[in-house]
Amino acid sequence: MSETPTPVWDGPTRLFHWSLVILLLVAWLTAGEQMTIHRGAGYAVLGLLAFRVWWGLAGGSTARFSGFVRGPGAIRQYLRASREGTDGEHVGHNPLGALSVLALLGLVGLQVGLGLFAIDEDGFEGGPLSDRVDFDLARQIAEWHELAFRLLQGLVVLHLAAILYYAVRRRQDLVRPMITGVRKFRGPVQGLVRAPLWRFAVGVLIALAVGFAASRGFRLS
């Protein structure tokens, strides 16, 4: 059976994905050494998360939370069908992959949120909200910030392992579609339904506003 190229990921979703990858790497490599860059990466990540929440409500069909987030029953059904080899191909995230997406977004959000309140041992380098809590609590939050990143690293490893599993065992390339936006399917499927450009523009404005507000410690002056 011939394979049909089908659009599955819109440009904003792919831009978000790869921008997040780059910014997390920058934040990791600059932690404790180049804190100005580290904080800047954190503000940008927070803006990206705000954009993704908006895009999950108003974006293209495969980016919308309503399009891929499923309940426990659907997840159990997918796991059973996967074991039997009858799960088929999914346009966008499958029910199990949706859990990974939500976990990654939630953990990145927690990581950045903790960073806003964290402070170093000397009290010289801290997040823009570190002055809102006492020093001991800010130091405790700094430890939680580091722990959250270790958990995030573990989740990323699981994410990469899942990509490898699908590539080797299922013969499904999940990386190329996130680059090109297009994936080949063995049968006719309902592909991506794109969102209008103005919604992307609104999302960009939201991201910029949230990132800038975070850099100012959410202060009005």
Coordinates of all heavy atoms in Angstrom, one line a residue, residues 103-182:
A103 N 3.1 15.9 31.0 CA 4.1 15.8 32.1 C 5.3 16.7 31.8 O 5.8 17.4 32.7 CB 4.6 14.4 32.2
L104 N 5.7 16.8 30.5 CA 6.8 17.7 30.2 C 6.5 19.1 30.4 O 7.2 19.9 31.0 CB 7.2 17.4 28.7 CG 8.1 16.2 28.5 CD1 8.2 15.9 27.0 CD2 9.5 16.4 29.0
L105 N 5.3 19.5 29.9 CA 4.9 20.9 30.1 C 4.7 21.3 31.6 O 5.2 22.3 32.0 CB 3.5 21.1 29.4 CG 3.6 21.1 27.8 CD1 2.2 21.3 27.3 CD2 4.5 22.1 27.3
G106 N 4.1 20.4 32.3 CA 4.0 20.6 33.8 C 5.3 20.7 34.5 O 5.5 21.6 35.3
L107 N 6.2 19.8 34.2 CA 7.5 19.8 34.9 C 8.3 21.0 34.5 O 9.0 21.6 35.3 CB 8.2 18.5 34.6 CG 9.4 18.1 35.6 CD1 8.9 18.3 37.0 CD2 9.9 16.7 35.3
V108 N 8.3 21.4 33.2 CA 9.0 22.6 32.8 C 8.4 23.8 33.5 O 9.2 24.7 33.9 CB 9.0 22.7 31.2 CG1 9.5 24.1 30.8 CG2 9.8 21.7 30.6
G109 N 7.1 23.9 33.6 CA 6.5 25.0 34.2 C 6.9 25.1 35.7 O 7.1 26.1 36.2
L110 N 6.9 23.9 36.4 CA 7.3 23.9 37.8 C 8.8 24.3 37.9 O 9.1 25.1 38.8 CB 7.2 22.4 38.3 CG 7.7 22.2 39.7 CD1 6.9 23.0 40.7 CD2 7.6 20.7 40.1
Q111 N 9.6 23.8 37.0 CA 11.1 24.2 37.0 C 11.3 25.7 36.9 O 12.0 26.3 37.7 CB 11.8 23.5 35.9 CG 13.2 23.9 35.6 CD 14.2 23.4 36.6 OE1 13.9 22.6 37.4 NE2 15.4 23.9 36.4
V112 N 10.6 26.3 36.0 CA 10.7 27.7 35.8 C 10.1 28.5 36.9 O 10.7 29.5 37.4 CB 10.1 28.2 34.4 CG1 10.1 29.7 34.3 CG2 10.8 27.5 33.3
G113 N 9.0 28.0 37.4 CA 8.3 28.7 38.5 C 9.2 28.7 39.8 O 9.3 29.7 40.5
L114 N 9.8 27.6 40.0 CA 10.7 27.5 41.2 C 11.9 28.5 41.0 O 12.4 29.1 42.0 CB 11.2 26.1 41.4 CG 10.1 25.1 41.9 CD1 10.7 23.7 41.9 CD2 9.7 25.4 43.3
G115 N 12.4 28.5 39.8 CA 13.5 29.4 39.5 C 13.3 30.9 39.8 O 14.2 31.6 40.1
L116 N 12.0 31.3 39.6 CA 11.7 32.7 39.9 C 11.9 33.1 41.4 O 12.2 34.2 41.7 CB 10.2 32.9 39.6 CG 9.8 32.8 38.1 CD1 8.3 32.9 38.0 CD2 10.5 33.8 37.2
F117 N 11.9 32.1 42.3 CA 12.0 32.4 43.7 C 13.4 31.9 44.3 O 13.7 32.2 45.4 CB 10.9 31.6 44.5 CG 9.5 32.2 44.2 CD1 8.7 31.6 43.2 CD2 9.0 33.2 45.0 CE1 7.5 32.1 43.0 CE2 7.7 33.7 44.8 CZ 7.0 33.1 43.7
A118 N 14.2 31.2 43.5 CA 15.4 30.6 44.0 C 16.5 31.7 44.1 O 16.5 32.7 43.5 CB 15.9 29.5 43.0
I119 N 17.5 31.4 45.0 CA 18.6 32.3 45.2 C 19.8 31.4 45.5 O 19.7 30.3 46.0 CB 18.3 33.3 46.4 CG1 19.3 34.5 46.3 CG2 18.4 32.6 47.7 CD1 18.8 35.6 47.2
D120 N 21.0 32.0 45.2 CA 22.2 31.2 45.4 C 22.7 31.3 46.9 O 22.1 32.0 47.7 CB 23.4 31.6 44.5 CG 23.9 33.0 44.8 OD1 23.3 33.7 45.7 OD2 24.8 33.5 44.1
E121 N 23.7 30.5 47.2 CA 24.2 30.4 48.6 C 24.6 31.8 49.2 O 24.5 32.1 50.4 CB 25.3 29.4 48.7 CG 24.9 28.0 48.4 CD 26.0 27.0 48.5 OE1 27.2 27.5 48.7 OE2 25.8 25.8 48.5
D122 N 25.2 32.6 48.3 CA 25.7 33.9 48.8 C 24.7 35.0 48.8 O 24.9 36.1 49.3 CB 26.9 34.4 47.9 CG 28.0 33.4 47.9 OD1 28.3 32.8 49.0 OD2 28.7 33.1 46.9
G123 N 23.5 34.7 48.2 CA 22.4 35.7 48.1 C 22.6 36.8 47.1 O 21.9 37.8 47.1
F124 N 23.6 36.6 46.2 CA 23.8 37.6 45.1 C 23.0 37.3 43.9 O 22.6 38.3 43.2 CB 25.3 37.6 44.8 CG 26.2 38.1 45.9 CD1 27.3 37.3 46.3 CD2 25.9 39.3 46.6 CE1 28.1 37.7 47.4 CE2 26.7 39.7 47.6 CZ 27.8 38.9 48.0
E125 N 22.8 36.1 43.5 CA 22.1 35.7 42.3 C 20.8 35.0 42.6 O 20.8 34.0 43.3 CB 23.0 34.8 41.4 CG 24.3 35.4 40.9 CD 24.0 36.4 39.8 OE1 22.9 36.6 39.4 OE2 25.0 37.0 39.3
G126 N 19.7 35.6 42.2 CA 18.4 35.0 42.5 C 17.4 35.3 41.4 O 17.6 36.2 40.6
G127 N 16.3 34.6 41.5 CA 15.2 34.9 40.6 C 14.5 36.2 40.9 O 14.7 36.8 42.0
P128 N 13.7 36.8 40.0 CA 13.1 38.1 40.2 C 12.1 38.1 41.4 O 11.8 39.2 41.8 CB 12.4 38.4 38.9 CG 12.2 37.0 38.3 CD 13.3 36.2 38.7
L129 N 11.7 37.0 41.9 CA 10.8 36.9 43.0 C 11.4 36.4 44.3 O 10.7 36.2 45.2 CB 9.6 36.0 42.6 CG 8.7 36.5 41.4 CD1 7.6 35.5 41.2 CD2 8.2 37.9 41.6
S130 N 12.7 36.3 44.3 CA 13.4 35.8 45.4 C 13.3 36.7 46.6 O 13.5 36.2 47.8 CB 14.9 35.5 45.1 OG 15.6 36.7 44.7
D131 N 13.0 38.0 46.4 CA 12.9 38.9 47.5 C 11.5 38.8 48.1 O 11.3 39.5 49.1 CB 13.2 40.3 47.1 CG 12.3 40.8 46.0 OD1 11.6 40.0 45.3 OD2 12.3 42.0 45.7
R132 N 10.6 38.0 47.5 CA 9.3 37.9 48.1 C 9.2 36.9 49.2 O 8.2 36.8 49.9 CB 8.3 37.5 47.0 CG 8.3 38.4 45.8 CD 7.6 39.8 46.1 NE 7.6 40.6 44.9 CZ 6.6 40.6 44.0 NH1 5.6 39.8 44.2 NH2 6.6 41.4 43.0
V133 N 10.3 36.1 49.4 CA 10.3 35.1 50.4 C 11.6 35.3 51.2 O 12.5 35.9 50.8 CB 10.3 33.6 49.8 CG1 9.0 33.4 49.1 CG2 11.5 33.4 48.9
D134 N 11.7 34.6 52.4 CA 12.9 34.8 53.2 C 14.0 34.0 52.6 O 13.8 33.1 51.8 CB 12.6 34.4 54.7 CG 12.2 33.0 54.9 OD1 13.0 32.1 54.5 OD2 11.1 32.7 55.4
F135 N 15.2 34.2 53.1 CA 16.4 33.6 52.4 C 16.4 32.1 52.6 O 16.7 31.4 51.6 CB 17.7 34.2 53.1 CG 18.9 33.6 52.5 CD1 19.4 34.1 51.3 CD2 19.6 32.6 53.2 CE1 20.6 33.5 50.8 CE2 20.8 32.1 52.7 CZ 21.3 32.6 51.5
D136 N 16.0 31.6 53.7 CA 16.1 30.2 53.9 C 15.1 29.4 53.0 O 15.4 28.4 52.4 CB 15.7 29.8 55.4 CG 16.9 30.2 56.4 OD1 18.0 30.3 55.9 OD2 16.6 30.4 57.6
L137 N 13.9 30.0 52.8 CA 13.0 29.4 51.9 C 13.4 29.5 50.5 O 13.3 28.6 49.7 CB 11.6 30.1 52.1 CG 10.5 29.6 51.2 CD1 10.3 28.1 51.3 CD2 9.2 30.3 51.4
A138 N 14.1 30.6 50.1 CA 14.6 30.8 48.8 C 15.7 29.8 48.5 O 15.8 29.2 47.4 CB 15.1 32.2 48.6
R139 N 16.5 29.5 49.5 CA 17.5 28.4 49.3 C 16.9 27.1 49.2 O 17.3 26.2 48.4 CB 18.5 28.4 50.5 CG 19.5 29.6 50.5 CD 20.4 29.6 49.3 NE 21.0 28.3 49.2 CZ 21.3 27.7 48.0 NH1 20.9 28.2 46.9 NH2 22.0 26.5 48.0
Q140 N 15.8 26.8 50.0 CA 15.1 25.5 49.8 C 14.5 25.4 48.4 O 14.6 24.3 47.8 CB 14.0 25.4 50.9 CG 13.2 24.1 50.9 CD 14.1 22.9 51.1 OE1 14.7 22.8 52.2 NE2 14.3 22.0 50.2
I141 N 13.9 26.5 48.0 CA 13.4 26.5 46.6 C 14.4 26.2 45.6 O 14.2 25.6 44.6 CB 12.6 27.8 46.4 CG1 11.4 27.9 47.2 CG2 12.2 27.9 44.9 CD1 10.6 29.2 47.2
A142 N 15.6 26.8 45.8 CA 16.7 26.5 44.9 C 17.1 25.0 44.8 O 17.4 24.5 43.7 CB 18.0 27.3 45.3
E143 N 17.0 24.3 45.9 CA 17.2 22.9 45.9 C 16.1 22.2 45.1 O 16.3 21.2 44.4 CB 17.3 22.4 47.3 CG 18.6 22.9 48.1 CD 18.7 22.4 49.5 OE1 17.9 21.4 49.8 OE2 19.5 22.8 50.2
W144 N 14.9 22.6 45.4 CA 13.7 22.0 44.6 C 13.9 22.3 43.1 O 13.5 21.5 42.3 CB 12.4 22.6 45.1 CG 12.1 22.2 46.5 CD1 12.6 21.2 47.3 CD2 11.2 22.9 47.4 NE1 12.1 21.2 48.5 CE2 11.2 22.2 48.7 CE3 10.4 24.1 47.3 CZ2 10.5 22.6 49.8 CZ3 9.7 24.5 48.4 CH2 9.7 23.8 49.6
H145 N 14.4 23.5 42.8 CA 14.6 23.9 41.4 C 15.6 22.9 40.7 O 15.4 22.4 39.6 CB 15.2 25.3 41.4 CG 15.5 25.8 40.0 ND1 14.5 26.1 39.1 CD2 16.6 26.2 39.4 CE1 15.0 26.6 38.0 NE2 16.3 26.7 38.2
E146 N 16.6 22.6 41.5 CA 17.6 21.6 40.9 C 17.0 20.2 40.8 O 17.2 19.5 39.8 CB 18.9 21.6 41.8 CG 20.0 20.7 41.3 CD 21.3 20.8 42.1 OE1 21.3 21.6 43.0 OE2 22.2 20.0 41.8
L147 N 16.3 19.8 41.8 CA 15.6 18.5 41.8 C 14.6 18.4 40.7 O 14.6 17.3 40.0 CB 14.9 18.2 43.1 CG 14.1 16.9 43.2 CD1 14.9 15.7 43.0 CD2 13.3 16.9 44.5
A148 N 13.9 19.4 40.4 CA 12.9 19.4 39.3 C 13.6 19.2 38.0 O 13.1 18.6 37.1 CB 12.1 20.7 39.3
F149 N 14.8 19.8 37.9 CA 15.6 19.7 36.6 C 16.0 18.2 36.5 O 16.1 17.7 35.3 CB 16.8 20.6 36.6 CG 17.5 20.6 35.3 CD1 16.9 21.1 34.1 CD2 18.8 20.0 35.2 CE1 17.6 21.0 32.9 CE2 19.4 20.0 34.0 CZ 18.9 20.5 32.9
R150 N 16.4 17.6 37.6 CA 16.9 16.2 37.5 C 15.7 15.3 37.0 O 15.8 14.4 36.2 CB 17.4 15.7 38.8 CG 18.6 16.4 39.3 CD 19.7 16.5 38.4 NE 20.8 17.3 38.8 CZ 21.7 17.8 38.1 NH1 21.7 17.6 36.7 NH2 22.7 18.6 38.6
L151 N 14.5 15.6 37.5 CA 13.3 14.9 37.1 C 13.0 15.2 35.6 O 12.6 14.2 34.9 CB 12.1 15.3 38.0 CG 12.2 14.9 39.4 CD1 11.0 15.5 40.2 CD2 12.2 13.4 39.6
L152 N 13.2 16.4 35.2 CA 13.0 16.8 33.8 C 14.0 16.0 32.9 O 13.6 15.6 31.8 CB 13.1 18.3 33.7 CG 12.9 18.8 32.3 CD1 11.5 18.5 31.7 CD2 13.2 20.4 32.3
Q153 N 15.2 15.9 33.3 CA 16.2 15.2 32.6 C 15.7 13.7 32.4 O 15.8 13.1 31.3 CB 17.6 15.2 33.2 CG 18.3 16.5 33.1 CD 19.6 16.5 33.9 OE1 19.7 16.1 35.0 NE2 20.6 17.0 33.2
G154 N 15.2 13.1 33.5 CA 14.7 11.7 33.4 C 13.6 11.6 32.4 O 13.5 10.6 31.6
L155 N 12.7 12.6 32.4 CA 11.5 12.5 31.6 C 11.9 12.7 30.1 O 11.4 12.1 29.2 CB 10.5 13.6 32.0 CG 9.1 13.5 31.5 CD1 8.5 12.2 31.9 CD2 8.3 14.7 32.0
V156 N 12.9 13.5 29.9 CA 13.5 13.7 28.5 C 14.1 12.4 28.0 O 13.9 12.0 26.8 CB 14.5 14.9 28.5 CG1 15.3 14.9 27.1 CG2 13.8 16.2 28.7
V157 N 14.8 11.7 28.9 CA 15.4 10.4 28.5 C 14.3 9.4 28.1 O 14.4 8.7 27.1 CB 16.2 9.8 29.7 CG1 16.6 8.4 29.4 CG2 17.5 10.7 29.9
L158 N 13.2 9.4 28.9 CA 12.1 8.5 28.6 C 11.4 8.9 27.2 O 11.0 8.1 26.4 CB 11.0 8.6 29.7 CG 11.4 7.9 31.0 CD1 10.3 8.1 32.0 CD2 11.6 6.4 30.8
H159 N 11.4 10.2 27.0 CA 10.8 10.7 25.7 C 11.7 10.3 24.6 O 11.1 9.8 23.5 CB 10.8 12.3 25.8 CG 10.2 12.9 24.6 ND1 8.9 12.8 24.3 CD2 10.8 13.7 23.7 CE1 8.6 13.5 23.1 NE2 9.8 14.1 22.8
L160 N 13.0 10.4 24.7 CA 13.9 10.0 23.6 C 13.8 8.4 23.4 O 13.9 7.9 22.3 CB 15.3 10.4 23.9 CG 15.6 11.9 24.0 CD1 17.0 12.2 24.4 CD2 15.3 12.5 22.6
A161 N 13.7 7.7 24.5 CA 13.6 6.3 24.5 C 12.3 5.9 23.7 O 12.3 4.9 22.9 CB 13.6 5.6 25.8
A162 N 11.2 6.6 23.9 CA 10.0 6.3 23.2 C 10.1 6.6 21.7 O 9.6 5.8 20.9 CB 8.8 7.1 23.8
I163 N 10.8 7.6 21.4 CA 11.1 7.9 20.0 C 11.9 6.8 19.3 O 11.6 6.4 18.2 CB 11.8 9.3 19.9 CG1 10.9 10.4 20.3 CG2 12.3 9.5 18.4 CD1 11.5 11.8 20.3
L164 N 12.9 6.3 20.0 CA 13.7 5.3 19.5 C 12.9 4.0 19.4 O 13.0 3.2 18.4 CB 14.9 5.0 20.5 CG 15.9 4.0 20.0 CD1 16.6 4.3 18.7 CD2 17.0 3.8 21.1
Y165 N 12.0 3.7 20.3 CA 11.2 2.5 20.3 C 10.3 2.5 19.0 O 10.2 1.5 18.3 CB 10.3 2.4 21.5 CG 9.2 1.4 21.4 CD1 9.5 0.0 21.6 CD2 7.9 1.8 21.1 CE1 8.5 -0.9 21.5 CE2 6.9 0.9 21.0 CZ 7.2 -0.5 21.2 OH 6.2 -1.4 21.1
Y166 N 9.7 3.7 18.8 CA 8.8 3.8 17.6 C 9.6 3.7 16.3 O 9.1 3.1 15.3 CB 8.0 5.1 17.7 CG 6.7 5.0 18.5 CD1 6.7 5.3 19.9 CD2 5.5 4.6 17.9 CE1 5.6 5.1 20.6 CE2 4.4 4.4 18.7 CZ 4.4 4.7 20.0 OH 3.3 4.6 20.8
A167 N 10.8 4.2 16.3 CA 11.6 4.1 15.1 C 12.1 2.7 14.8 O 12.0 2.2 13.7 CB 12.8 5.0 15.3
V168 N 12.5 1.9 15.9 CA 13.0 0.6 15.7 C 11.9 -0.5 15.6 O 11.9 -1.3 14.7 CB 14.0 0.3 16.8 CG1 14.5 -1.2 16.7 CG2 15.2 1.2 16.8
R169 N 11.0 -0.5 16.6 CA 10.0 -1.5 16.7 C 8.8 -1.3 15.8 O 8.2 -2.2 15.3 CB 9.6 -1.7 18.1 CG 10.7 -2.2 19.0 CD 11.2 -3.6 18.6 NE 10.2 -4.6 18.7 CZ 9.9 -5.2 19.9 NH1 10.6 -5.0 21.0 NH2 8.9 -6.1 19.9
R170 N 8.4 0.0 15.7 CA 7.1 0.3 15.0 C 7.4 0.8 13.6 O 6.4 1.1 12.8 CB 6.3 1.3 15.8 CG 6.0 0.8 17.2 CD 5.2 -0.4 17.3 NE 3.8 -0.1 16.8 CZ 2.9 0.4 17.6 NH1 3.1 0.7 18.9 NH2 1.7 0.6 17.1
R171 N 8.6 1.1 13.3 CA 9.0 1.7 12.0 C 8.3 3.0 11.7 O 7.8 3.3 10.6 CB 8.7 0.7 10.8 CG 9.5 -0.6 10.9 CD 11.0 -0.3 10.6 NE 11.8 -1.6 10.5 CZ 12.4 -2.2 11.5 NH1 12.3 -1.7 12.7 NH2 13.0 -3.3 11.2
Q172 N 8.2 3.8 12.8 CA 7.5 5.1 12.7 C 8.5 6.2 13.0 O 9.0 6.2 14.2 CB 6.3 5.2 13.6 CG 5.2 4.2 13.2 CD 4.0 4.3 14.1 OE1 3.8 5.3 14.8 NE2 3.1 3.3 14.1
D173 N 8.8 7.1 12.1 CA 9.8 8.2 12.3 C 9.0 9.3 12.9 O 8.1 10.0 12.2 CB 10.4 8.6 11.0 CG 11.5 9.7 11.2 OD1 11.6 10.2 12.3 OD2 12.1 10.1 10.2
L174 N 9.2 9.7 14.2 CA 8.5 10.8 14.8 C 9.3 12.1 14.8 O 8.7 13.1 15.1 CB 8.2 10.4 16.3 CG 7.4 9.1 16.5 CD1 7.1 8.9 18.0 CD2 6.1 9.1 15.7
V175 N 10.6 12.0 14.4 CA 11.4 13.2 14.4 C 11.2 14.0 13.2 O 11.0 15.2 13.2 CB 12.9 12.8 14.6 CG1 13.7 14.1 14.6 CG2 13.1 12.1 15.9
R176 N 11.2 13.4 12.0 CA 11.1 14.1 10.8 C 9.8 14.9 10.7 O 9.9 16.1 10.2 CB 11.3 13.1 9.6 CG 11.3 13.8 8.2 CD 11.3 12.8 7.1 NE 12.5 12.0 7.2 CZ 13.7 12.3 6.7 NH1 13.8 13.5 6.0 NH2 14.7 11.5 6.8
P177 N 8.7 14.4 11.1 CA 7.5 15.2 11.0 C 7.5 16.4 11.9 O 6.9 17.4 11.5 CB 6.4 14.2 11.5 CG 6.9 12.9 11.1 CD 8.4 13.0 11.4
M178 N 8.3 16.4 13.0 CA 8.4 17.5 13.8 C 9.3 18.6 13.2 O 9.4 19.7 13.7 CB 8.9 17.2 15.2 CG 8.8 18.3 16.3 SD 7.2 19.0 16.4 CE 6.2 17.8 17.3
I179 N 10.0 18.2 12.2 CA 10.9 19.1 11.4 C 10.1 19.7 10.2 O 10.1 20.9 9.9 CB 12.2 18.5 11.0 CG1 13.0 18.0 12.2 CG2 13.0 19.4 10.1 CD1 14.2 17.3 11.9
T180 N 9.5 18.7 9.4 CA 8.9 19.1 8.1 C 7.4 19.4 8.3 O 6.8 20.1 7.5 CB 9.0 18.0 7.1 OG1 8.3 16.8 7.6 CG2 10.5 17.6 6.9
G181 N 6.8 18.9 9.4 CA 5.4 19.1 9.5 C 4.5 18.0 8.8 O 3.3 18.0 9.0
V182 N 5.2 17.1 8.1 CA 4.5 16.2 7.2 C 4.9 14.8 7.6 O 6.0 14.5 7.9 CB 4.8 16.4 5.7 CG1 4.1 15.3 4.9 CG2 4.3 17.8 5.3

